[in-house]
Amino acid sequence: MAKVTLKNIDKIYPNGFQAVYDANIEIQDKEFMVFVGPSGCAKSTTLRMVAGLEEISGGELYIGDKLVNDVAPKDRDIAMVFQNYALYPHMNVYDNMAFGLKLRKFDSSEIDRRVKEAARVLGIETLLDRKPKELSGGQRQRVAMGRAIVREPKVFLMDEPLSNLDAKLRVQMRAELSKLHERLQTTTIYVTHDQVEAMTLADRIVVMKDGVIQQIDDPITLYNQPTNMFVAGFIGSPAMNFLDAKIEARGDKLVLTGTGFDLTIPAKMSQAMKELETYVGKEVVFGIRPEDIMDPAFVETNENVDTVEATVEVIEPMGSSIHLHLSVGERTIVAIVDPQSEAKVGDVMKIAFDLKKMHIFDAETEEAII
Amino acid sequence: MSITMKDIAAKLGVSESTVSRAINNKPGVGEDTKQKILNLARRYNYQPNLLARNLARQESNMIGLILPDISSLFYSEVTRAIQDIATKHGYQVMVCNTDSDEKRESAYIEWLQGNKIAGIIFLGNGLANNKIINLGLSGYPIVLANRLVEEVMLPSVIIDNNTGAFEATKHLLERGHKRIALINGPKDNLTAQNRFRGYREALKEYNLDYDPSLIINKDWSRECGYQGFLELLNLEEPPTAIFAANDLIAVGVIEAIKMGGYLIPEEIAVVGFEDTIVTSIIEPPLTTVAQPMYELGANSAKKLFSLIEDEDIEENIEILTSKLIVRKST
C-alpha cells in the first residue's frame, strides 16, 4: 500500500490543448479518494496519468516515495478497474481471475492462493467453476474486481466502474465497494461523474472543472463549505439555489436584497456581518440549499430565519418530503419542505430561509465569501 | 509514365481542380467537360496517385498486423486470412514482427499511427499492455486476436484451447486407451496449461486419475517430442497413446516411435494439435486438433473493418472452438 502524490501535474496534448492545469493532490495511504466533475473536466485524464496510460506533460507523480513519471505502467504496482471490463466467456471464474497472473508467470500455488483469497473477500468462492454466462451482473462485476485484487497492487484505480449497471445494482455495488475497501485497506482513486457515488464512497473528494481542481475535502466539508459557486452547485441534489443579490447597510443592520426579496442578516451572525461589511453596495450571489428553505408553518423558531414571498409553480411529493418549485422575483428556486405542507400550485406563500446555512459568493469571482 | 491530372488539365485547358472534381465524381463540373475529362483519362489509362490521395485525405488504405513472428506456421496461416479479407476491402496489410519484445511493439504502434494506418490487429499470446489499452480506449480501431486483456473490453477473437485438448484426449479414451501421455509446452505457458487442463478434464470424465509420470513439459519443438517419447519408454508401464500438444511435438514423437520399430496406431496412437501443413506430410497422416487459424485471421479482420467503417460489432469477444480431425495415427 502507498500514498500517491501529484505535484504540479500538467497535461498538454501535442496539438497544444491543455487538459489538466497544475494538479496538486496528496492521497494518503489507505485513503479512498474520489475524483468528481462534469464530463470533460479531465478527471479520467488525471487518473490515466497516474496509471501511466497518458504521459505526464509537467510536474511530478509519486507512488509511495518513488517518482514514477518515467516508470513503465506495468512496474507502477497499480491495478485498474474500468466500467467496460471483459470476462472471457470460455473461461470459468477462476481462470478469468487467474489468467493475468499466469501470463505473468506467477507460480501456480501463489496464483491459487491469491485467487481463493480474492474470491473469499468478494464472497464468490462457490462460483469459481462457473462460466460468466451463469453469473448475475453483480457477480460479474465482482469477478472483474477480483481480477484487480489478485494483483495485490499498491493502488486501485477505478474509472466509473459501476456506470454500466442498472440503478438498483449500482447502489448495492456501491455499498459492497465500501465494505471491500474497509477490508482490503488499499489506497483507491475512483473517478465518477456521479456526485452521490462520490459523497457515499469517498474519504475525500477532488472536485474538478475544465482541468482545474476546485476543492479537495471530505464530503461533509465539501457540502457545507464549498469554496466557490461551481462546487456549491455541483455537490448536492437538488442543487443549491442561487439568487443575484446586493448587500445594503440599513442602520446597524446588513440586508441582502434582490428582485423579490429582502433578507436581514441576524445580528447574532457577527462573523458573517464582519465578512460582508466590505461588500456593502456590491453585487453578490446568495446561495441556499433546498433543505434550508422551509414552510414557515413548520418552523419552530424565528432565530436566524427570515421570510420572503414566493409563488408555488410545481409540487413534487417525494413521500418523506415535498419538493416545491417556487418563483421568487424572476428566478425559480427549489425547496424541500415538510410532507405535511399544504402548499398548492398557484399559492402565494411565505417561505422561510435558514440564514445560518446561507452561502454568499462574490458575483465576479464566484468565490465563497461566507 | 502515366498521365497525371495536371496533364489532363493542360490538354483540355481546364483547371486541375476541375479535373479532380470530374474524376472523383464531385459536383461543380459541367456534364460536357466531365465527359471530355473522363474520356481522356480512360484513353491515357489515368491511375490515381494513391500516396498523394491518402496524404491529402490524411488516411491510408493500410491496416497494421502486429505479431510475434510470421515464420511460425500458425501465424502465417492467420496472416494469410487477414490479407484475404483486407484485399476484399481494398486495403493492404503492413506486417510487423515483434519477437514478443514490448519496446519493438511500442515503436511499431507509434509508427503505424504516425503513418495514418486505418487500424491494427494484435496477434499473439501475451497480455495486452497499457499502450494497446490506451489505443482501444481512445477509439482507434484495434482488434486482439488470441491476445488477452485484463482491464477493459477490447474487440477480440480468441481460440478456446481447453476444449480442443479435451476432445483430443477423449478421442484416445474412446479408442480404448487408458495410459495416455501428454507431451506439452513449458509448464509456465498459459496455452500449455490450458491443454493440460483439457487433458485432465477428459480423464476425469472417464473416472481416471491422471498419472504425473505421464506428463512431460518441455518446449514446443520436434526435438522435445522425440526426447519426450524416449523418456516415456523408460517407464515401468509405458503409455499406449500420446497426446502431443502441438504438431511439431507430434512429428518428433512419430519419428521416435518409428525409430523404435513400433507401429502407429496399432501399438501407440498419436494425436497432435494445430493442424499445420506438417500433418499431411508425415506418415501416417496425423489425427490432430484443428485450430481455426484461418477463421481467427478472417474474423479478426472482419471485426477490424467493421470498426474502421463504423459499423456495429455483433460480438465484442468471439470465441472460436477447435475441431478434432481424425486421420490415421489413432
Side-chain angles (χ1 to χ4, degrees), chain A residues 47 51 60 71 85 128 141 143 159 161 178 204 207 241 249-250 256 264 270 275 333 338 344:
Chain A
L47 185 83
E60 292 168 350
V71 172
Y85 56 86
L128 288 173
Q141 182 78 39
V143 178
D159 194 352
S178 257
R204 284 191 303 152
V207 184
N241 298 295
R250 293 187 193 160
L256 200 57
T264 305
S270 54
E275 305 275 359
I333 61 172
D338 192 285
K344 288 181 190 60

Side-chain angles (χ1 to χ4, degrees), chain A residues 48 51 53 73-74 80 82 84-91 95 99-100 102-105 147 151, chain B residues 102 125-127 130 133-134 137 147-153 158 160 188-190 193 197 317 319:
Chain A
R48 286 199 206 171
L53 289 172
K74 66 179 166 58
M80 293 206 66
F82 289 95
N84 204 4
Y85 56 86
L87 295 187
Y88 291 103
H90 64 304
M91 293 183 191
D95 285 339
F99 75 78
K102 285 181 179 174
L103 285 169
R104 290 189 191 87
K105 314 243 186 246
R147 195 184 278 167
R151 290 168 69 174
Chain B
E102 210 166 289
N125 271 321
L127 277 175
N130 285 31
I133 292 170
N134 215 19
L137 289 172
R147 197 152 172 184
L148 302 177
V149 58
E150 280 181 304
E151 290 88 348
V152 288
M153 167 93 76
I158 288 160
D160 177 2
D188 59 3
N189 179 286
L190 186 60
Q193 287 174 8
R197 178 167 303 170
I317 298 178
I319 307 296

Side-chain angles (χ1 to χ4, degrees), chain A residues 199 205 215 217-228 231-233 235-236 240 287-289 291-292 354-361 368-370:
Chain A
M199 294 290 281
I205 297 172
Q215 188 170 357
D217 257 314
D218 65 88
I220 301 301
T221 307
L222 212 57
Y223 190 78
N224 291 330
Q225 294 161 41
T227 56
N228 59 33
V231 177
I235 301 290
M240 184 185 284
I288 186 109
R289 293 210 180 269
E291 63 271 28
D292 300 327
D354 183 353
L355 297 182
K356 255 194 345 282
K357 306 274 184 65
M358 73 174 175
H359 301 263
I360 310 275
F361 303 94
I369 303 166
I370 60 166

Side-chain angles (χ1 to χ4, degrees), chain B residues 38-46:
Chain B
L38 293 180
N39 287 340
L40 202 67
R42 253 194 305 275
R43 194 179 334 144
Y44 288 96
N45 193 21
Y46 166 77

